[in-house]
Amino acid sequence: MNASREVVAILGGTGKEGQGLALRFAARGRPVILGSREAEKGRRIAEELNARLSSNLVTGNTNFEAARDGAVILSTLPYLGHLETATELRDSLAGKLVVTATIRWPPGLDGLPSAAEDLARALDGSTRVAAAFQTVSASSLKKLEGEPEDVLVFADSLDTRREAIVLVDSTGLRGIEGGSLEKTRVAEALTGVLLGINKAYGVKSTGIRITGLP
Amino acid sequence: MNASREVVAILGGTGKEGQGLALRFAARGRPVILGSREAEKGRRIAEELNARLSSNLVTGNTNFEAARDGAVILSTLPYLGHLETATELRDSLAGKLVVTATIRWPPGLDGLPSAAEDLARALDGSTRVAAAFQTVSASSLKKLEGEPEDVLVFADSLDTRREAIVLVDSTGLRGIEGGSLEKTRVAEALTGVLLGINKAYGVKSTGIRITGLP
């Protein structure tokens, strides 16, 4: 089975970040389920994305059905409530790769854990948790062929990082080995700096590129 | 007077980072004083850099003389002892722009202040303190025409940030408005992530580029 054809479920997928990711997967031929609190909202936004792409690869449903039916899980759940939702979905997430883009807010210079670390703790070893897309804005995601941008990928096991990097690469961005899940704090804090840069320069969506790689 | 011809003094300038910065300034026609604990070492390394550039723009001296004679100050002092040295030089630094590249080690996910914040506190309002070059490796600096790389610049006042950005830009790198001095913690922690990336990819000098700017 071609891994890149596995269904990606996006929890909280009707938000801007989730929509941007769904567009990128579907534009590259991959089926996506948008999870939402309300199935109807999930379906409506899925149809909007399909119309934009002239495709039928995006479907919408509740977060519960999305978690159950997705082979791979991306979370763009908002920080407020992300742990409660993930905990409710625990059985459906067990054994799967869960890549979270959720950012602790306000982001951290203060020694507190990142949203990704909290998620891994809440799921308690039953899933492979990675963090990615923290620094990538929704509007960068929606520009399907924008300026090359990198995505720092964090997880405690090298295998999980590699698996998540394959997922990131399949969106057309470049996944970079960022290190252990704890270092997601750096990506969260960097996102705070990028938002300040947006404001200082009057732009909407700065991101990062790692220089010096082969 | 052309500001870009003002003498730059680099405290701790005989280390690799200081040498890389000195090369970049002198290669663009700007006089540099390398400060060192030993004047003799400063002079020797200044001569090596002059030989490499076929120039006579680099001189070497003690940190004390460098701080006194520099119009603008860059600090690449090692973390261990940087505050003691800066405190000793306090009178010479008063009223000047001091841009520090020093990184707290190990860099921080823990809520502790950055080296730059400590420096500003030690100098107690008598100088304009900015932070820059945290994420830039010495080997990137030594490649005078390497891959374009950005430098996050932090200071508590907008005027100081702008002044420091002009200094950074004059090295051929691009200075970016990073925000208040406290955010230097993010650049320090990001440097820790970059060192992990170097290791993961078997390279020597990754850095960052900010995407999405005009």
Side-chain angles (χ1 to χ4, degrees):
Chain A
M1 180 178 181
N2 185 336
S4 73
R5 290 293 171 269
E6 285 180 345
V7 180
V8 182
I10 307 183
L11 307 180
T14 56
K16 286 183 183 176
E17 189 91 0
Q19 289 188 40
L21 287 164
L23 272 176
R24 283 183 167 255
F25 285 116
R28 288 165 176 79
R30 188 157 184 172
V32 179
I33 311 170
L34 293 183
S36 176
R37 276 176 299 184
E38 307 154 60
E40 193 39 56
K41 187 176 179 192
R43 286 189 198 107
R44 181 167 51 78
I45 292 182
E47 283 321 307
E48 288 172 19
L49 299 182
N50 281 331
R52 176 164 163 194
L53 294 170
S54 308
S55 97
N56 59 359
L57 287 167
V58 189
T59 54
N61 214 324
T62 61
N63 283 316
F64 182 85
E65 319 278 333
R68 187 195 60 195
D69 297 342
V72 175
I73 313 291
L74 249 163
S75 168
T76 56
L77 290 166
Y79 180 58
L80 201 69
H82 80 114
L83 288 185
E84 292 73 5
T85 304
T87 306
E88 283 165 21
L89 304 175
R90 198 171 179 285
D91 292 346
S92 299
L93 301 178
K96 296 181 181 172
L97 173 68
V98 176
V99 178
T100 181
T102 301
I103 291 184
R104 184 163 70 85
W105 204 258
L109 300 163
D110 48 17
L112 295 178
S114 58
E117 290 168 84
D118 286 340
L119 178 66
R121 206 167 298 117
L123 294 176
D124 199 16
S126 62
T127 61
R128 302 190 296 290
V129 175
F133 300 109
Q134 273 70 22
T135 61
V136 184
S137 72
S139 60
S140 288
L141 290 171
K142 285 188 179 175
K143 281 182 220 138
L144 296 179
E145 304 296 341
E147 193 177 350
E149 192 173 327
D150 287 337
V151 176
L152 297 171
V153 177
F154 306 94
D156 283 337
S157 106
L158 178 61
D159 285 348
T160 303
R161 287 201 296 276
R162 286 186 173 157
E163 208 183 346
I165 286 171
V166 170
L167 185 74
V168 170
D169 288 349
S170 75
T171 66
L173 300 171
R174 181 173 67 165
I176 301 279
E177 266 281 2
S180 65
L181 206 59
E182 189 194 51
K183 291 188 177 163
T184 311
R185 300 174 192 194
V186 182
E188 288 184 339
L190 183 57
T191 303
V193 170
L194 291 174
L195 292 174
I197 293 174
N198 288 350
K199 206 170 159 187
Y201 292 86
V203 296
K204 279 201 318 192
S205 58
T206 53
I208 61 159
R209 182 90 182 153
I210 303 297
T211 63
L213 290 174
Chain B
M1 180 178 181
N2 185 336
S4 73
R5 289 294 170 271
E6 285 182 344
V7 180
V8 182
I10 307 184
L11 307 180
T14 56
K16 286 183 182 177
E17 188 92 1
Q19 289 187 41
L21 288 164
L23 272 176
R24 284 184 167 255
F25 285 116
R28 287 166 177 80
R30 189 158 185 173
V32 179
I33 311 171
L34 292 183
S36 176
R37 277 176 299 185
E38 307 152 61
E40 194 40 56
K41 187 176 179 190
R43 285 189 199 107
R44 181 168 51 77
I45 291 182
E47 283 321 307
E48 288 172 20
L49 299 182
N50 282 330
R52 175 162 164 192
L53 294 169
S54 309
S55 97
N56 59 359
L57 287 167
V58 187
T59 55
N61 214 324
T62 62
N63 283 316
F64 182 86
E65 319 279 332
R68 186 195 62 196
D69 298 341
V72 175
I73 313 291
L74 248 164
S75 168
T76 56
L77 290 165
Y79 180 58
L80 201 69
H82 79 113
L83 288 185
E84 292 72 5
T85 305
T87 306
E88 283 165 22
L89 304 175
R90 200 171 177 285
D91 292 347
S92 299
L93 301 178
K96 295 181 182 174
L97 173 68
V98 176
V99 179
T100 180
T102 301
I103 291 184
R104 183 163 70 85
W105 204 257
L109 301 162
D110 48 16
L112 295 177
S114 58
E117 291 169 84
D118 286 340
L119 178 66
R121 207 168 298 117
L123 294 176
D124 200 16
S126 62
T127 61
R128 303 190 296 290
V129 174
F133 300 110
Q134 272 69 22
T135 60
V136 184
S137 72
S139 61
S140 287
L141 291 171
K142 285 188 178 175
K143 281 183 222 138
L144 296 178
E145 303 296 342
E147 194 178 349
E149 192 173 326
D150 288 338
V151 176
L152 296 171
V153 177
F154 307 94
D156 283 338
S157 107
L158 179 60
D159 284 348
T160 304
R161 285 201 296 276
R162 287 186 172 156
E163 208 182 344
I165 286 171
V166 170
L167 185 74
V168 170
D169 288 350
S170 76
T171 65
L173 299 172
R174 181 173 68 164
I176 302 279
E177 265 280 4
S180 65
L181 206 58
E182 187 193 52
K183 290 187 177 164
T184 310
R185 299 174 193 195
V186 182
E188 288 183 340
L190 183 57
T191 303
V193 170
L194 291 174
L195 292 175
I197 293 174
N198 288 350
K199 206 170 158 187
Y201 292 86
V203 296
K204 279 201 319 192
S205 58
T206 53
I208 61 159
R209 183 88 182 155
I210 302 297
T211 63
L213 290 172

